[in-house]
Amino acid sequence: QVQLVESGGGSVQAGGSLRLSCAASGYTYSNYCMGWFRQAPGQAREGVAVIDSDGRYYTDSVKGRFSISKDNAKNTLYPRMNNLKPEDTAMYYCAAGPNLCFGDFDALQIAVWGQGTQVTVSS
């Protein structure tokens, strides 16, 4: 059974940084690609970043501020968020799915979700 476990969320002031992590078990990177989504209260879940064999994709609102890397040996994904803004406040979810391999952030096609980790940015 595929499982994703996130960690690293918290509270930070605007302009600060956080690094999240997502440890995957029960599958190999060849089956799915991994990425991150976020959901703010009252808003739809949106794709933030994804990493696949061809590169990395970021939604426009985080380009230049967020980066993503992975450790294949540990099956772990590491999003790094810099210059955080209050509008980045949301629950962040790790996700795995075949659509992410094409930079497709369609949440309905995600096969596995993590439990989420809260990120709060104060002004």
Side-chain angles (χ1 to χ4, degrees), residues 87-115:
E87 52 264 41
D88 294 317
T89 295
M91 185 72 80
Y92 283 71
Y93 296 91
C94 186
N99 57 304
L100 294 178
C101 298
F102 305 99
D104 179 0
F105 285 129
D106 184 355
L108 295 177
Q109 297 187 49
I110 295 300
V112 185
W113 292 101
Q115 81 281 4

mmCIF file with all atom_site columns, all heavy atoms in Angstrom, residues 87-115:
data_model
loop_
_atom_site.group_PDB
_atom_site.id
_atom_site.type_symbol
_atom_site.label_atom_id
_atom_site.label_alt_id
_atom_site.label_comp_id
_atom_site.label_asym_id
_atom_site.label_entity_id
_atom_site.label_seq_id
_atom_site.pdbx_PDB_ins_code
_atom_site.Cartn_x
_atom_site.Cartn_y
_atom_site.Cartn_z
_atom_site.occupancy
_atom_site.B_iso_or_equiv
_atom_site.pdbx_formal_charge
_atom_site.auth_seq_id
_atom_site.auth_comp_id
_atom_site.auth_asym_id
_atom_site.auth_atom_id
_atom_site.pdbx_PDB_model_num
ATOM 1   N N   . GLU A 1 87  ? -0.285  34.960 1.599   1.00 0.00 ? 87  GLU A N   1
ATOM 2   C CA  . GLU A 1 87  ? -1.179  34.206 0.710   1.00 0.00 ? 87  GLU A CA  1
ATOM 3   C C   . GLU A 1 87  ? -0.707  32.776 0.469   1.00 0.00 ? 87  GLU A C   1
ATOM 4   O O   . GLU A 1 87  ? -1.409  31.979 -0.157  1.00 0.00 ? 87  GLU A O   1
ATOM 5   C CB  . GLU A 1 87  ? -1.353  34.930 -0.635  1.00 0.00 ? 87  GLU A CB  1
ATOM 6   C CG  . GLU A 1 87  ? -0.071  35.321 -1.324  1.00 0.00 ? 87  GLU A CG  1
ATOM 7   C CD  . GLU A 1 87  ? 0.318   36.766 -1.035  1.00 0.00 ? 87  GLU A CD  1
ATOM 8   O OE1 . GLU A 1 87  ? 0.175   37.220 0.125   1.00 0.00 ? 87  GLU A OE1 1
ATOM 9   O OE2 . GLU A 1 87  ? 0.797   37.431 -1.986  1.00 0.00 ? 87  GLU A OE2 1
ATOM 10  N N   . ASP A 1 88  ? 0.468   32.427 0.961   1.00 0.00 ? 88  ASP A N   1
ATOM 11  C CA  . ASP A 1 88  ? 0.925   31.039 0.899   1.00 0.00 ? 88  ASP A CA  1
ATOM 12  C C   . ASP A 1 88  ? 0.355   30.199 2.045   1.00 0.00 ? 88  ASP A C   1
ATOM 13  O O   . ASP A 1 88  ? 0.550   28.981 2.086   1.00 0.00 ? 88  ASP A O   1
ATOM 14  C CB  . ASP A 1 88  ? 2.457   30.972 0.957   1.00 0.00 ? 88  ASP A CB  1
ATOM 15  C CG  . ASP A 1 88  ? 3.123   31.581 -0.257  1.00 0.00 ? 88  ASP A CG  1
ATOM 16  O OD1 . ASP A 1 88  ? 2.651   31.344 -1.386  1.00 0.00 ? 88  ASP A OD1 1
ATOM 17  O OD2 . ASP A 1 88  ? 4.137   32.295 -0.070  1.00 0.00 ? 88  ASP A OD2 1
ATOM 18  N N   . THR A 1 89  ? -0.328  30.847 2.978   1.00 0.00 ? 89  THR A N   1
ATOM 19  C CA  . THR A 1 89  ? -0.924  30.126 4.093   1.00 0.00 ? 89  THR A CA  1
ATOM 20  C C   . THR A 1 89  ? -1.938  29.111 3.586   1.00 0.00 ? 89  THR A C   1
ATOM 21  O O   . THR A 1 89  ? -2.869  29.455 2.860   1.00 0.00 ? 89  THR A O   1
ATOM 22  C CB  . THR A 1 89  ? -1.608  31.103 5.062   1.00 0.00 ? 89  THR A CB  1
ATOM 23  O OG1 . THR A 1 89  ? -0.611  31.947 5.647   1.00 0.00 ? 89  THR A OG1 1
ATOM 24  C CG2 . THR A 1 89  ? -2.346  30.347 6.161   1.00 0.00 ? 89  THR A CG2 1
ATOM 25  N N   . ALA A 1 90  ? -1.746  27.860 3.957   1.00 0.00 ? 90  ALA A N   1
ATOM 26  C CA  . ALA A 1 90  ? -2.611  26.785 3.477   1.00 0.00 ? 90  ALA A CA  1
ATOM 27  C C   . ALA A 1 90  ? -2.191  25.473 4.124   1.00 0.00 ? 90  ALA A C   1
ATOM 28  O O   . ALA A 1 90  ? -1.127  25.392 4.760   1.00 0.00 ? 90  ALA A O   1
ATOM 29  C CB  . ALA A 1 90  ? -2.517  26.646 1.963   1.00 0.00 ? 90  ALA A CB  1
ATOM 30  N N   . MET A 1 91  ? -3.017  24.471 3.930   1.00 0.00 ? 91  MET A N   1
ATOM 31  C CA  . MET A 1 91  ? -2.613  23.100 4.242   1.00 0.00 ? 91  MET A CA  1
ATOM 32  C C   . MET A 1 91  ? -1.914  22.569 2.996   1.00 0.00 ? 91  MET A C   1
ATOM 33  O O   . MET A 1 91  ? -2.450  22.659 1.898   1.00 0.00 ? 91  MET A O   1
ATOM 34  C CB  . MET A 1 91  ? -3.822  22.243 4.573   1.00 0.00 ? 91  MET A CB  1
ATOM 35  C CG  . MET A 1 91  ? -3.483  20.835 5.024   1.00 0.00 ? 91  MET A CG  1
ATOM 36  S SD  . MET A 1 91  ? -2.760  20.787 6.670   1.00 0.00 ? 91  MET A SD  1
ATOM 37  C CE  . MET A 1 91  ? -4.245  20.929 7.650   1.00 0.00 ? 91  MET A CE  1
ATOM 38  N N   . TYR A 1 92  ? -0.716  22.041 3.175   1.00 0.00 ? 92  TYR A N   1
ATOM 39  C CA  . TYR A 1 92  ? 0.066   21.533 2.063   1.00 0.00 ? 92  TYR A CA  1
ATOM 40  C C   . TYR A 1 92  ? 0.019   20.005 2.065   1.00 0.00 ? 92  TYR A C   1
ATOM 41  O O   . TYR A 1 92  ? 0.238   19.357 3.089   1.00 0.00 ? 92  TYR A O   1
ATOM 42  C CB  . TYR A 1 92  ? 1.511   22.028 2.152   1.00 0.00 ? 92  TYR A CB  1
ATOM 43  C CG  . TYR A 1 92  ? 1.651   23.461 1.714   1.00 0.00 ? 92  TYR A CG  1
ATOM 44  C CD1 . TYR A 1 92  ? 1.159   24.510 2.498   1.00 0.00 ? 92  TYR A CD1 1
ATOM 45  C CD2 . TYR A 1 92  ? 2.257   23.793 0.503   1.00 0.00 ? 92  TYR A CD2 1
ATOM 46  C CE1 . TYR A 1 92  ? 1.255   25.829 2.079   1.00 0.00 ? 92  TYR A CE1 1
ATOM 47  C CE2 . TYR A 1 92  ? 2.369   25.108 0.078   1.00 0.00 ? 92  TYR A CE2 1
ATOM 48  C CZ  . TYR A 1 92  ? 1.871   26.118 0.872   1.00 0.00 ? 92  TYR A CZ  1
ATOM 49  O OH  . TYR A 1 92  ? 1.971   27.428 0.455   1.00 0.00 ? 92  TYR A OH  1
ATOM 50  N N   . TYR A 1 93  ? -0.250  19.460 0.882   1.00 0.00 ? 93  TYR A N   1
ATOM 51  C CA  . TYR A 1 93  ? -0.422  18.018 0.743   1.00 0.00 ? 93  TYR A CA  1
ATOM 52  C C   . TYR A 1 93  ? 0.591   17.460 -0.244  1.00 0.00 ? 93  TYR A C   1
ATOM 53  O O   . TYR A 1 93  ? 0.743   17.985 -1.357  1.00 0.00 ? 93  TYR A O   1
ATOM 54  C CB  . TYR A 1 93  ? -1.813  17.683 0.230   1.00 0.00 ? 93  TYR A CB  1
ATOM 55  C CG  . TYR A 1 93  ? -2.933  18.058 1.164   1.00 0.00 ? 93  TYR A CG  1
ATOM 56  C CD1 . TYR A 1 93  ? -3.545  19.300 1.075   1.00 0.00 ? 93  TYR A CD1 1
ATOM 57  C CD2 . TYR A 1 93  ? -3.384  17.156 2.122   1.00 0.00 ? 93  TYR A CD2 1
ATOM 58  C CE1 . TYR A 1 93  ? -4.582  19.644 1.930   1.00 0.00 ? 93  TYR A CE1 1
ATOM 59  C CE2 . TYR A 1 93  ? -4.422  17.489 2.974   1.00 0.00 ? 93  TYR A CE2 1
ATOM 60  C CZ  . TYR A 1 93  ? -5.016  18.744 2.875   1.00 0.00 ? 93  TYR A CZ  1
ATOM 61  O OH  . TYR A 1 93  ? -6.037  19.069 3.729   1.00 0.00 ? 93  TYR A OH  1
ATOM 62  N N   . CYS A 1 94  ? 1.229   16.396 0.139   1.00 0.00 ? 94  CYS A N   1
ATOM 63  C CA  . CYS A 1 94  ? 2.044   15.621 -0.776  1.00 0.00 ? 94  CYS A CA  1
ATOM 64  C C   . CYS A 1 94  ? 1.116   14.725 -1.595  1.00 0.00 ? 94  CYS A C   1
ATOM 65  O O   . CYS A 1 94  ? 0.091   14.253 -1.076  1.00 0.00 ? 94  CYS A O   1
ATOM 66  C CB  . CYS A 1 94  ? 3.037   14.783 0.022   1.00 0.00 ? 94  CYS A CB  1
ATOM 67  S SG  . CYS A 1 94  ? 4.227   13.884 -0.984  1.00 0.00 ? 94  CYS A SG  1
ATOM 68  N N   . ALA A 1 95  ? 1.470   14.490 -2.852  1.00 0.00 ? 95  ALA A N   1
ATOM 69  C CA  . ALA A 1 95  ? 0.599   13.697 -3.722  1.00 0.00 ? 95  ALA A CA  1
ATOM 70  C C   . ALA A 1 95  ? 1.430   12.859 -4.673  1.00 0.00 ? 95  ALA A C   1
ATOM 71  O O   . ALA A 1 95  ? 2.547   13.227 -5.030  1.00 0.00 ? 95  ALA A O   1
ATOM 72  C CB  . ALA A 1 95  ? -0.316  14.623 -4.519  1.00 0.00 ? 95  ALA A CB  1
ATOM 73  N N   . ALA A 1 96  ? 0.857   11.750 -5.082  1.00 0.00 ? 96  ALA A N   1
ATOM 74  C CA  . ALA A 1 96  ? 1.502   10.883 -6.066  1.00 0.00 ? 96  ALA A CA  1
ATOM 75  C C   . ALA A 1 96  ? 0.464   10.457 -7.094  1.00 0.00 ? 96  ALA A C   1
ATOM 76  O O   . ALA A 1 96  ? -0.660  10.083 -6.737  1.00 0.00 ? 96  ALA A O   1
ATOM 77  C CB  . ALA A 1 96  ? 2.116   9.659  -5.390  1.00 0.00 ? 96  ALA A CB  1
ATOM 78  N N   . GLY A 1 97  ? 0.861   10.496 -8.352  1.00 0.00 ? 97  GLY A N   1
ATOM 79  C CA  . GLY A 1 97  ? -0.071  10.108 -9.397  1.00 0.00 ? 97  GLY A CA  1
ATOM 80  C C   . GLY A 1 97  ? 0.591   10.107 -10.748 1.00 0.00 ? 97  GLY A C   1
ATOM 81  O O   . GLY A 1 97  ? 1.595   10.796 -10.951 1.00 0.00 ? 97  GLY A O   1
ATOM 82  N N   . PRO A 1 98  ? 0.059   9.342  -11.686 1.00 0.00 ? 98  PRO A N   1
ATOM 83  C CA  . PRO A 1 98  ? 0.675   9.281  -13.019 1.00 0.00 ? 98  PRO A CA  1
ATOM 84  C C   . PRO A 1 98  ? 0.558   10.590 -13.772 1.00 0.00 ? 98  PRO A C   1
ATOM 85  O O   . PRO A 1 98  ? 1.426   10.922 -14.586 1.00 0.00 ? 98  PRO A O   1
ATOM 86  C CB  . PRO A 1 98  ? -0.105  8.155  -13.700 1.00 0.00 ? 98  PRO A CB  1
ATOM 87  C CG  . PRO A 1 98  ? -1.405  8.089  -12.979 1.00 0.00 ? 98  PRO A CG  1
ATOM 88  C CD  . PRO A 1 98  ? -1.100  8.467  -11.573 1.00 0.00 ? 98  PRO A CD  1
ATOM 89  N N   . ASN A 1 99  ? -0.485  11.381 -13.528 1.00 0.00 ? 99  ASN A N   1
ATOM 90  C CA  . ASN A 1 99  ? -0.670  12.636 -14.246 1.00 0.00 ? 99  ASN A CA  1
ATOM 91  C C   . ASN A 1 99  ? 0.408   13.649 -13.916 1.00 0.00 ? 99  ASN A C   1
ATOM 92  O O   . ASN A 1 99  ? 0.759   14.496 -14.740 1.00 0.00 ? 99  ASN A O   1
ATOM 93  C CB  . ASN A 1 99  ? -2.041  13.229 -13.959 1.00 0.00 ? 99  ASN A CB  1
ATOM 94  C CG  . ASN A 1 99  ? -2.291  13.452 -12.484 1.00 0.00 ? 99  ASN A CG  1
ATOM 95  O OD1 . ASN A 1 99  ? -2.186  12.524 -11.693 1.00 0.00 ? 99  ASN A OD1 1
ATOM 96  N ND2 . ASN A 1 99  ? -2.634  14.671 -12.093 1.00 0.00 ? 99  ASN A ND2 1
ATOM 97  N N   . LEU A 1 100 ? 0.952   13.550 -12.729 1.00 0.00 ? 100 LEU A N   1
ATOM 98  C CA  . LEU A 1 100 ? 1.998   14.504 -12.330 1.00 0.00 ? 100 LEU A CA  1
ATOM 99  C C   . LEU A 1 100 ? 3.246   14.336 -13.179 1.00 0.00 ? 100 LEU A C   1
ATOM 100 O O   . LEU A 1 100 ? 4.054   15.250 -13.285 1.00 0.00 ? 100 LEU A O   1
ATOM 101 C CB  . LEU A 1 100 ? 2.328   14.342 -10.850 1.00 0.00 ? 100 LEU A CB  1
ATOM 102 C CG  . LEU A 1 100 ? 1.217   14.695 -9.872  1.00 0.00 ? 100 LEU A CG  1
ATOM 103 C CD1 . LEU A 1 100 ? 1.662   14.443 -8.435  1.00 0.00 ? 100 LEU A CD1 1
ATOM 104 C CD2 . LEU A 1 100 ? 0.781   16.138 -10.035 1.00 0.00 ? 100 LEU A CD2 1
ATOM 105 N N   . CYS A 1 101 ? 3.421   13.169 -13.780 1.00 0.00 ? 101 CYS A N   1
ATOM 106 C CA  . CYS A 1 101 ? 4.587   12.942 -14.642 1.00 0.00 ? 101 CYS A CA  1
ATOM 107 C C   . CYS A 1 101 ? 4.551   13.822 -15.884 1.00 0.00 ? 101 CYS A C   1
ATOM 108 O O   . CYS A 1 101 ? 5.569   13.970 -16.574 1.00 0.00 ? 101 CYS A O   1
ATOM 109 C CB  . CYS A 1 101 ? 4.666   11.480 -15.061 1.00 0.00 ? 101 CYS A CB  1
ATOM 110 S SG  . CYS A 1 101 ? 4.864   10.324 -13.697 1.00 0.00 ? 101 CYS A SG  1
ATOM 111 N N   . PHE A 1 102 ? 3.387   14.409 -16.178 1.00 0.00 ? 102 PHE A N   1
ATOM 112 C CA  . PHE A 1 102 ? 3.248   15.274 -17.346 1.00 0.00 ? 102 PHE A CA  1
ATOM 113 C C   . PHE A 1 102 ? 3.013   16.720 -16.930 1.00 0.00 ? 102 PHE A C   1
ATOM 114 O O   . PHE A 1 102 ? 2.565   17.539 -17.739 1.00 0.00 ? 102 PHE A O   1
ATOM 115 C CB  . PHE A 1 102 ? 2.092   14.777 -18.211 1.00 0.00 ? 102 PHE A CB  1
ATOM 116 C CG  . PHE A 1 102 ? 2.220   13.336 -18.609 1.00 0.00 ? 102 PHE A CG  1
ATOM 117 C CD1 . PHE A 1 102 ? 1.527   12.345 -17.919 1.00 0.00 ? 102 PHE A CD1 1
ATOM 118 C CD2 . PHE A 1 102 ? 3.053   12.957 -19.641 1.00 0.00 ? 102 PHE A CD2 1
ATOM 119 C CE1 . PHE A 1 102 ? 1.654   11.010 -18.263 1.00 0.00 ? 102 PHE A CE1 1
ATOM 120 C CE2 . PHE A 1 102 ? 3.180   11.626 -20.004 1.00 0.00 ? 102 PHE A CE2 1
ATOM 121 C CZ  . PHE A 1 102 ? 2.489   10.653 -19.309 1.00 0.00 ? 102 PHE A CZ  1
ATOM 122 N N   . GLY A 1 103 ? 3.295   17.025 -15.675 1.00 0.00 ? 103 GLY A N   1
ATOM 123 C CA  . GLY A 1 103 ? 3.071   18.375 -15.195 1.00 0.00 ? 103 GLY A CA  1
ATOM 124 C C   . GLY A 1 103 ? 1.606   18.731 -15.096 1.00 0.00 ? 103 GLY A C   1
ATOM 125 O O   . GLY A 1 103 ? 1.232   19.905 -15.129 1.00 0.00 ? 103 GLY A O   1
ATOM 126 N N   . ASP A 1 104 ? 0.755   17.711 -14.986 1.00 0.00 ? 104 ASP A N   1
ATOM 127 C CA  . ASP A 1 104 ? -0.697  17.893 -14.919 1.00 0.00 ? 104 ASP A CA  1
ATOM 128 C C   . ASP A 1 104 ? -1.118  17.928 -13.461 1.00 0.00 ? 104 ASP A C   1
ATOM 129 O O   . ASP A 1 104 ? -1.003  16.932 -12.755 1.00 0.00 ? 104 ASP A O   1
ATOM 130 C CB  . ASP A 1 104 ? -1.387  16.747 -15.664 1.00 0.00 ? 104 ASP A CB  1
ATOM 131 C CG  . ASP A 1 104 ? -2.904  16.843 -15.616 1.00 0.00 ? 104 ASP A CG  1
ATOM 132 O OD1 . ASP A 1 104 ? -3.430  17.799 -15.005 1.00 0.00 ? 104 ASP A OD1 1
ATOM 133 O OD2 . ASP A 1 104 ? -3.567  15.984 -16.211 1.00 0.00 ? 104 ASP A OD2 1
ATOM 134 N N   . PHE A 1 105 ? -1.649  19.083 -13.017 1.00 0.00 ? 105 PHE A N   1
ATOM 135 C CA  . PHE A 1 105 ? -2.025  19.255 -11.614 1.00 0.00 ? 105 PHE A CA  1
ATOM 136 C C   . PHE A 1 105 ? -3.487  18.922 -11.346 1.00 0.00 ? 105 PHE A C   1
ATOM 137 O O   . PHE A 1 105 ? -4.050  19.393 -10.356 1.00 0.00 ? 105 PHE A O   1
ATOM 138 C CB  . PHE A 1 105 ? -1.761  20.703 -11.186 1.00 0.00 ? 105 PHE A CB  1
ATOM 139 C CG  . PHE A 1 105 ? -0.309  21.042 -10.974 1.00 0.00 ? 105 PHE A CG  1
ATOM 140 C CD1 . PHE A 1 105 ? 0.245   22.156 -11.598 1.00 0.00 ? 105 PHE A CD1 1
ATOM 141 C CD2 . PHE A 1 105 ? 0.503   20.282 -10.163 1.00 0.00 ? 105 PHE A CD2 1
ATOM 142 C CE1 . PHE A 1 105 ? 1.582   22.495 -11.399 1.00 0.00 ? 105 PHE A CE1 1
ATOM 143 C CE2 . PHE A 1 105 ? 1.845   20.610 -9.966  1.00 0.00 ? 105 PHE A CE2 1
ATOM 144 C CZ  . PHE A 1 105 ? 2.383   21.723 -10.583 1.00 0.00 ? 105 PHE A CZ  1
ATOM 145 N N   . ASP A 1 106 ? -4.105  18.120 -12.186 1.00 0.00 ? 106 ASP A N   1
ATOM 146 C CA  . ASP A 1 106 ? -5.500  17.739 -11.955 1.00 0.00 ? 106 ASP A CA  1
ATOM 147 C C   . ASP A 1 106 ? -5.602  16.901 -10.692 1.00 0.00 ? 106 ASP A C   1
ATOM 148 O O   . ASP A 1 106 ? -5.200  15.738 -10.658 1.00 0.00 ? 106 ASP A O   1
ATOM 149 C CB  . ASP A 1 106 ? -6.027  16.953 -13.155 1.00 0.00 ? 106 ASP A CB  1
ATOM 150 C CG  . ASP A 1 106 ? -7.505  16.616 -13.029 1.00 0.00 ? 106 ASP A CG  1
ATOM 151 O OD1 . ASP A 1 106 ? -8.100  16.913 -11.975 1.00 0.00 ? 106 ASP A OD1 1
ATOM 152 O OD2 . ASP A 1 106 ? -8.059  16.054 -13.986 1.00 0.00 ? 106 ASP A OD2 1
ATOM 153 N N   . ALA A 1 107 ? -6.195  17.498 -9.629  1.00 0.00 ? 107 ALA A N   1
ATOM 154 C CA  . ALA A 1 107 ? -6.281  16.816 -8.335  1.00 0.00 ? 107 ALA A CA  1
ATOM 155 C C   . ALA A 1 107 ? -7.135  15.551 -8.407  1.00 0.00 ? 107 ALA A C   1
ATOM 156 O O   . ALA A 1 107 ? -6.948  14.620 -7.622  1.00 0.00 ? 107 ALA A O   1
ATOM 157 C CB  . ALA A 1 107 ? -6.837  17.762 -7.285  1.00 0.00 ? 107 ALA A CB  1
ATOM 158 N N   . LEU A 1 108 ? -8.077  15.503 -9.344  1.00 0.00 ? 108 LEU A N   1
ATOM 159 C CA  . LEU A 1 108 ? -8.964  14.346 -9.448  1.00 0.00 ? 108 LEU A CA  1
ATOM 160 C C   . LEU A 1 108 ? -8.237  13.101 -9.922  1.00 0.00 ? 108 LEU A C   1
ATOM 161 O O   . LEU A 1 108 ? -8.729  11.986 -9.745  1.00 0.00 ? 108 LEU A O   1
ATOM 162 C CB  . LEU A 1 108 ? -10.126 14.666 -10.391 1.00 0.00 ? 108 LEU A CB  1
ATOM 163 C CG  . LEU A 1 108 ? -11.079 15.772 -9.929  1.00 0.00 ? 108 LEU A CG  1
ATOM 164 C CD1 . LEU A 1 108 ? -12.132 16.030 -10.990 1.00 0.00 ? 108 LEU A CD1 1
ATOM 165 C CD2 . LEU A 1 108 ? -11.718 15.436 -8.588  1.00 0.00 ? 108 LEU A CD2 1
ATOM 166 N N   . GLN A 1 109 ? -7.063  13.278 -10.530 1.00 0.00 ? 109 GLN A N   1
ATOM 167 C CA  . GLN A 1 109 ? -6.319  12.136 -11.041 1.00 0.00 ? 109 GLN A CA  1
ATOM 168 C C   . GLN A 1 109 ? -5.244  11.647 -10.075 1.00 0.00 ? 109 GLN A C   1
ATOM 169 O O   . GLN A 1 109 ? -4.524  10.704 -10.386 1.00 0.00 ? 109 GLN A O   1
ATOM 170 C CB  . GLN A 1 109 ? -5.673  12.491 -12.380 1.00 0.00 ? 109 GLN A CB  1
ATOM 171 C CG  . GLN A 1 109 ? -6.667  12.826 -13.473 1.00 0.00 ? 109 GLN A CG  1
ATOM 172 C CD  . GLN A 1 109 ? -5.979  13.003 -14.817 1.00 0.00 ? 109 GLN A CD  1
ATOM 173 O OE1 . GLN A 1 109 ? -5.184  12.163 -15.230 1.00 0.00 ? 109 GLN A OE1 1
ATOM 174 N NE2 . GLN A 1 109 ? -6.288  14.101 -15.486 1.00 0.00 ? 109 GLN A NE2 1
ATOM 175 N N   . ILE A 1 110 ? -5.141  12.276 -8.915  1.00 0.00 ? 110 ILE A N   1
ATOM 176 C CA  . ILE A 1 110 ? -4.136  11.876 -7.943  1.00 0.00 ? 110 ILE A CA  1
ATOM 177 C C   . ILE A 1 110 ? -4.512  10.526 -7.330  1.00 0.00 ? 110 ILE A C   1
ATOM 178 O O   . ILE A 1 110 ? -5.650  10.316 -6.927  1.00 0.00 ? 110 ILE A O   1
ATOM 179 C CB  . ILE A 1 110 ? -3.987  12.931 -6.839  1.00 0.00 ? 110 ILE A CB  1
ATOM 180 C CG1 . ILE A 1 110 ? -3.444  14.232 -7.429  1.00 0.00 ? 110 ILE A CG1 1
ATOM 181 C CG2 . ILE A 1 110 ? -3.088  12.434 -5.718  1.00 0.00 ? 110 ILE A CG2 1
ATOM 182 C CD1 . ILE A 1 110 ? -2.079  14.092 -8.094  1.00 0.00 ? 110 ILE A CD1 1
ATOM 183 N N   . ALA A 1 111 ? -3.528  9.638  -7.251  1.00 0.00 ? 111 ALA A N   1
ATOM 184 C CA  . ALA A 1 111 ? -3.781  8.298  -6.736  1.00 0.00 ? 111 ALA A CA  1
ATOM 185 C C   . ALA A 1 111 ? -3.643  8.225  -5.219  1.00 0.00 ? 111 ALA A C   1
ATOM 186 O O   . ALA A 1 111 ? -4.382  7.503  -4.558  1.00 0.00 ? 111 ALA A O   1
ATOM 187 C CB  . ALA A 1 111 ? -2.836  7.305  -7.395  1.00 0.00 ? 111 ALA A CB  1
ATOM 188 N N   . VAL A 1 112 ? -2.684  8.982  -4.676  1.00 0.00 ? 112 VAL A N   1
ATOM 189 C CA  . VAL A 1 112 ? -2.413  8.902  -3.242  1.00 0.00 ? 112 VAL A CA  1
ATOM 190 C C   . VAL A 1 112 ? -2.172  10.302 -2.695  1.00 0.00 ? 112 VAL A C   1
ATOM 191 O O   . VAL A 1 112 ? -1.436  11.077 -3.308  1.00 0.00 ? 112 VAL A O   1
ATOM 192 C CB  . VAL A 1 112 ? -1.171  8.033  -2.942  1.00 0.00 ? 112 VAL A CB  1
ATOM 193 C CG1 . VAL A 1 112 ? -0.989  7.873  -1.428  1.00 0.00 ? 112 VAL A CG1 1
ATOM 194 C CG2 . VAL A 1 112 ? -1.286  6.676  -3.611  1.00 0.00 ? 112 VAL A CG2 1
ATOM 195 N N   . TRP A 1 113 ? -2.754  10.577 -1.537  1.00 0.00 ? 113 TRP A N   1
ATOM 196 C CA  . TRP A 1 113 ? -2.556  11.852 -0.842  1.00 0.00 ? 113 TRP A CA  1
ATOM 197 C C   . TRP A 1 113 ? -1.901  11.603 0.512   1.00 0.00 ? 113 TRP A C   1
ATOM 198 O O   . TRP A 1 113 ? -2.175  10.591 1.169   1.00 0.00 ? 113 TRP A O   1
ATOM 199 C CB  . TRP A 1 113 ? -3.888  12.551 -0.596  1.00 0.00 ? 113 TRP A CB  1
ATOM 200 C CG  . TRP A 1 113 ? -4.586  13.052 -1.813  1.00 0.00 ? 113 TRP A CG  1
ATOM 201 C CD1 . TRP A 1 113 ? -5.638  12.473 -2.459  1.00 0.00 ? 113 TRP A CD1 1
ATOM 202 C CD2 . TRP A 1 113 ? -4.301  14.258 -2.525  1.00 0.00 ? 113 TRP A CD2 1
ATOM 203 N NE1 . TRP A 1 113 ? -6.019  13.237 -3.535  1.00 0.00 ? 113 TRP A NE1 1
ATOM 204 C CE2 . TRP A 1 113 ? -5.224  14.341 -3.601  1.00 0.00 ? 113 TRP A CE2 1
ATOM 205 C CE3 . TRP A 1 113 ? -3.368  15.281 -2.365  1.00 0.00 ? 113 TRP A CE3 1
ATOM 206 C CZ2 . TRP A 1 113 ? -5.231  15.406 -4.505  1.00 0.00 ? 113 TRP A CZ2 1
ATOM 207 C CZ3 . TRP A 1 113 ? -3.379  16.342 -3.263  1.00 0.00 ? 113 TRP A CZ3 1
ATOM 208 C CH2 . TRP A 1 113 ? -4.301  16.396 -4.317  1.00 0.00 ? 113 TRP A CH2 1
ATOM 209 N N   . GLY A 1 114 ? -1.064  12.537 0.922   1.00 0.00 ? 114 GLY A N   1
ATOM 210 C CA  . GLY A 1 114 ? -0.582  12.533 2.288   1.00 0.00 ? 114 GLY A CA  1
ATOM 211 C C   . GLY A 1 114 ? -1.623  13.138 3.203   1.00 0.00 ? 114 GLY A C   1
ATOM 212 O O   . GLY A 1 114 ? -2.671  13.607 2.759   1.00 0.00 ? 114 GLY A O   1
ATOM 213 N N   . GLN A 1 115 ? -1.319  13.187 4.500   1.00 0.00 ? 115 GLN A N   1
ATOM 214 C CA  . GLN A 1 115 ? -2.289  13.676 5.467   1.00 0.00 ? 115 GLN A CA  1
ATOM 215 C C   . GLN A 1 115 ? -2.314  15.199 5.549   1.00 0.00 ? 115 GLN A C   1
ATOM 216 O O   . GLN A 1 115 ? -3.241  15.779 6.111   1.00 0.00 ? 115 GLN A O   1
ATOM 217 C CB  . GLN A 1 115 ? -1.998  13.087 6.866   1.00 0.00 ? 115 GLN A CB  1
ATOM 218 C CG  . GLN A 1 115 ? -0.901  13.799 7.654   1.00 0.00 ? 115 GLN A CG  1
ATOM 219 C CD  . GLN A 1 115 ? 0.506   13.417 7.211   1.00 0.00 ? 115 GLN A CD  1
ATOM 220 O OE1 . GLN A 1 115 ? 0.694   12.672 6.263   1.00 0.00 ? 115 GLN A OE1 1
ATOM 221 N NE2 . GLN A 1 115 ? 1.500   13.952 7.927   1.00 0.00 ? 115 GLN A NE2 1
#
